[in-house]
Amino acid sequence: MSGQSNLFSDSPLNAPLADRLRPTSLENYVGQEHLLAPGKPLRQAIDTKRPFSLIFWGPPGTGKTTLARLIAQSSNAHFITISAVLAGVKDIRAAVDEARQYQAQGKPTILFVDEVHRFNKAQQDAFLPYVEDGTLTFIGATTENPSFELNNALLSRARVFVLKDLSESALDKLISRALTDEDLGLGKYHLYIAEESRKHLIDAADGDGRRLLNFLELASELALAKDDESPVIDDEVLEETLTQSLRRFDKGGEHFYDQISALHKSVRGSNPDGALYWFCRMIDGGCDPLYVARRVVRMASEDIGNADPRGLTLALNAWDVQERLGSPEGELAIAQAIIYLACAPKSNAVYMAYNNALRDVKNEPTYEVPMHIRNAPTKLMKELDYGTGYRYDHDEPDAFSAGQTYFPDEKGETQYYHPVDRGLEKKIADKLAWLKAKSEQFNKG
């Protein structure tokens, strides 16, 4: 934990470029116009110097920490920052004690908790009393969906603001500032970056301002190392700089669930190209192919079902190929299954039937099994009429015991499965209608 009374002292020149260029005022802040436009609640909190407890939710490198600092600066508040990765309840108590000291001097305190989603429930609850009694104002930052990662008590006391990826124009402004600032940036080196290379760098940042500045700083070092009179950041320099994947893929985080949702909905929407695109995005970002393979099996049952049962077989085969052969053969097999499922006739009839039957089982009494369909392996059970009246289907015409019932007597016959008029289920529907007609005819005598 570190308390900071001087929020914006000049960054040491040997600090990373992203830290040196951290904005000291809203005028230098780029992005998040939807939150900072005049009249918006967050802008009003900064302008009126009346902060309130809040949570910043957004991808990395979008300015969450900087905004927290700007709020503290505008309200002349003591600023304490802790990281939920390293801190525990002991650190929270120390922060509260520090806040009380400043409160006694008439100075407010803002406690900034980075990666607050990593706190467990007890840790999240630890500072709530001090938020309520005004000892401190809480600001949390998270890359995860607060609805899933933060408890309701904390959410009810803090307003959530969603930060977005930085736009291309915002990233372009960051590049310009870095290359022209002679005190804290790279201006004194008179670096030149070609327009095409500039666009390449922006694409590589993928909406992350910190990532952009880190790439730019490394690229500048490589350009300057060439010992030219006019150092240039070109595609050759950038290719050497960008040695890691250009795409952001937060395994288990919001980007993860957004992309698997896009893949699933593309398959359901019979769009093989969209499905293939999102699959490749996930693989390119480092997603475990076996996770996708498992989800593809789910898609086969949930969205195709008996309209084309071959879809489930193909999905299972793709999973098996991935486990047996690994990359890249496995990914190709998964892609084949995804495209097949996207093109297959769609039915959620099995999915809906299962959910509706499960709902009834959970909500209704535990009815007895009707006597005629109970098993009777012993003499005693036969004497108690277990199995009495059961008709063996294979001994009946068309191997079907017309009129025989299979639900508890108290519940009565119920239809859960409603085949759709597509694919194989169209034939299944015809068969079920034929069987139903035979039973009705039998019951009429």
Side-chain angles (χ1 to χ4, degrees):
M1 183 191 76
S2 62
Q4 292 182 246
S5 56
N6 185 3
L7 292 177
F8 295 100
S9 57
D10 289 344
S11 301
L13 292 180
N14 60 352
L17 180 64
D19 286 340
R20 301 202 306 269
L21 292 181
R22 189 184 294 278
T24 59
S25 67
L26 282 181
E27 287 68 30
N28 293 327
Y29 188 90
V30 298
Q32 315 311 329
E33 291 83 358
H34 64 293
L35 299 179
L36 298 174
K40 295 292 184 180
L42 184 59
R43 180 62 180 264
Q44 288 182 332
I46 297 175
D47 289 344
T48 60
K49 303 179 180 181
R50 298 179 63 181
F52 49 83
S53 293
L54 53 87
I55 295 167
F56 289 133
W57 169 31
T62 51
K64 297 185 290 294
T65 302
T66 298
L67 273 181
R69 290 176 178 272
L70 289 173
I71 291 172
Q73 181 194 38
S74 72
S75 56
N76 194 30
H78 178 60
F79 188 75
I80 302 174
T81 176
I82 62 178
S83 171
V85 177
L86 303 174
V89 173
K90 179 181 178 182
D91 300 286
I92 296 172
R93 289 173 180 163
V96 170
D97 290 340
E98 189 174 337
R100 282 174 171 162
Q101 294 175 16
Y102 280 89
Q103 187 180 38
Q105 303 170 22
K107 190 178 181 71
T109 293
I110 287 179
L111 172 63
F112 175 68
V113 182
D114 195 18
E115 300 192 74
V116 65
H117 60 274
R118 294 184 182 270
F119 270 162
N120 59 35
K121 185 179 185 301
Q123 290 169 319
Q124 291 180 35
D125 289 342
F127 50 76
L128 290 182
Y130 311 105
V131 173
E132 290 185 337
D133 67 14
T135 302
L136 53 83
T137 299
F138 163 76
I139 298 181
T142 178
T143 56
E144 306 294 337
N145 190 328
S147 301
F148 303 136
E149 302 296 336
L150 303 183
N151 63 45
N152 290 331
L154 180 57
L155 286 175
S156 67
R157 291 164 175 81
R159 183 164 179 176
V160 177
F161 290 95
V162 180
L163 278 71
K164 300 178 181 179
D165 286 328
L166 296 187
S167 65
E168 290 188 4
S169 62
L171 294 172
D172 189 69
K173 289 178 183 178
L174 283 181
I175 294 176
S176 295
R177 184 184 172 203
L179 293 178
T180 56
D181 190 321
E182 296 189 1
D183 295 323
L184 299 174
L186 305 170
K188 62 183 178 182
Y189 300 116
H190 304 291
L191 288 156
Y192 172 76
I193 179 169
E195 195 62 34
E196 192 64 30
S197 299
R198 193 180 186 111
K199 178 66 166 61
H200 190 184
L201 181 61
I202 290 172
D203 290 342
D206 202 23
D208 186 329
R210 186 187 306 111
R211 188 176 190 179
L212 175 91
L213 293 174
N214 288 342
F215 282 154
L216 182 59
E217 185 171 29
L218 180 55
S220 68
E221 292 174 0
L222 293 174
L224 291 169
K226 291 186 175 182
D227 220 13
D228 295 334
E229 290 186 9
S230 301
V232 176
I233 298 176
D234 54 19
D235 280 350
E236 182 182 347
V237 170
L238 286 180
E239 186 176 352
E240 192 173 349
T241 301
L242 307 176
T243 55
Q244 55 181 303
S245 172
L246 304 184
R247 298 297 172 194
R248 185 178 339 114
F249 187 84
D250 184 13
K251 300 176 186 178
E254 188 69 14
H255 281 277
F256 178 88
Y257 293 111
D258 284 346
Q259 291 184 27
I260 192 62
S261 174
L263 170 58
H264 195 151
K265 288 179 172 65
S266 298
V267 169
R268 182 182 296 149
S270 299
N271 191 316
D273 300 307
L276 186 61
Y277 170 79
W278 290 113
F279 172 59
C280 290
R281 275 282 297 273
M282 297 184 75
I283 295 302
D284 178 63
C287 178
D288 182 0
L290 286 174
Y291 171 81
V292 180
R294 290 193 295 271
R295 287 300 296 257
V296 171
V297 170
R298 165 78 182 223
M299 296 171 202
S301 289
E302 179 177 337
D303 293 297
I304 287 83
N306 286 334
D308 189 347
R310 293 170 297 183
L312 181 58
T313 301
L314 190 60
L316 287 169
N317 287 343
W319 186 351
D320 191 43
V321 171
Q322 179 64 46
E323 285 194 320
R324 288 171 178 264
L325 302 182
S327 178
E329 292 84 359
E331 285 94 324
L332 183 60
I334 296 172
Q336 178 184 349
I338 287 173
I339 290 174
Y340 184 91
L341 295 182
C343 298
K346 302 299 185 294
S347 171
N348 69 343
V350 170
Y351 177 67
M352 296 300 295
Y354 171 78
N355 286 338
N356 290 334
L358 188 62
R359 178 203 61 210
D360 282 1
V361 168
K362 288 179 179 295
N363 295 330
E364 293 176 353
T366 306
Y367 298 124
E368 295 287 341
V369 177
M371 296 298 288
H372 69 283
I373 54 174
R374 293 190 187 187
N375 192 28
T378 68
K379 181 180 179 181
L380 174 62
M381 297 170 89
K382 291 177 181 178
E383 291 174 351
L384 294 174
D385 290 335
Y386 278 49
T388 299
Y390 173 67
R391 292 153 54 207
Y392 187 56
D393 292 87
H394 294 286
D395 292 340
E396 299 286 324
D398 300 311
F400 174 63
S401 301
Q404 185 159 257
T405 59
Y406 299 93
F407 276 85
D409 296 335
E410 300 89 339
K411 181 173 177 61
E413 299 299 294
T414 305
Q415 183 177 359
Y416 292 116
Y417 180 45
H418 298 272
V420 300
D421 192 29
R422 293 183 293 276
L424 180 61
E425 279 201 332
K426 185 175 183 179
K427 294 184 177 180
I428 294 175
D430 291 341
K431 174 66 178 294
L432 291 178
W434 180 76
L435 294 174
K436 183 179 180 181
K438 288 183 69 69
S439 289
E440 290 175 347
Q441 184 179 5
F442 178 88
N443 291 332
K444 288 178 180 178

